[in-house]
Amino acid sequence: MLNNEFPQDSVAKKTEAFIAEPSTVFSTHAGCASSEHANGIESMPEEELLYDLADLFKVFSDTTRIKILYALLIDELSVNEIAEAIGASQSAVSHQLRILKQAHLVKFRRDGRSICYSLADGHVQTILDQGLSHICE
């Protein structure tokens, strides 16, 4: 995809379905269709889904974004609180939050004049936990 733009719901829905059944490597949930070979074994996911998955994993390639996600595991936080927690500038945090929002990994809500950020859902923690578990093996 161009300019790190994410389709509004495409990645989020497909990721949720993919993670929902971790034992099923290639699922057909929530628009994640894959065709079957003659012997009944499911084949590789559609090309578009593979690109979307690659785009999702690219979001996890920046340590500042990872730090933000870990900070949000603990509690809902404002940009200022996130910046203080991870030792980054407010500007850097705001930039990374935009990318995380586009990937549907964080959500936000207005509280008066403040904006509070939190993880989009439990799948984000699952992705972080699985990644950490994988590299610690």
Side-chain angles (χ1 to χ4, degrees):
M1 310 200 108
L2 298 176
N3 300 327
N4 290 328
E5 294 295 321
F6 291 86
Q8 288 298 321
D9 295 316
S10 176
V11 174
K13 286 181 182 177
K14 292 174 184 178
T15 303
E16 288 172 13
F18 189 80
I19 295 170
E21 296 187 34
S23 62
T24 305
V25 176
F26 302 117
S27 76
T28 57
H29 303 281
C32 297
S34 60
S35 58
E36 291 189 15
H37 291 297
N39 62 7
I41 298 173
E42 291 185 23
S43 65
M44 191 163 306
E46 302 275 333
E47 194 73 19
E48 181 183 348
L49 179 60
L50 293 174
Y51 281 114
D52 290 344
L53 186 58
D55 285 341
L56 175 68
F57 285 130
K58 286 177 190 175
V59 175
F60 289 94
S61 69
D62 182 88
T63 55
T64 301
R65 289 192 288 264
I66 299 293
K67 288 178 185 179
I68 291 170
L69 293 173
Y70 270 104
L72 294 175
L73 280 172
I74 299 165
D75 199 8
E76 180 180 79
L77 301 170
S78 69
V79 172
N80 295 342
E81 293 167 326
I82 295 168
E84 186 177 312
I86 69 169
S89 70
Q90 292 178 24
S91 175
V93 169
S94 293
H95 173 73
Q96 299 304 336
L97 282 169
R98 181 183 59 81
I99 294 168
L100 292 167
K101 285 189 300 187
Q102 286 178 330
H104 302 279
L105 296 174
V106 299
K107 61 184 178 182
F108 66 95
R109 68 173 182 81
R110 290 200 180 276
D111 184 17
R113 291 179 31 185
S114 300
I115 298 177
C116 298
Y117 293 88
S118 61
L119 296 181
D121 57 39
H123 295 120
V124 179
Q125 182 172 356
T126 301
I127 294 168
L128 292 171
D129 289 345
Q130 290 294 315
L132 196 56
S133 175
H134 180 74
I135 63 170
C136 290
E137 286 183 348

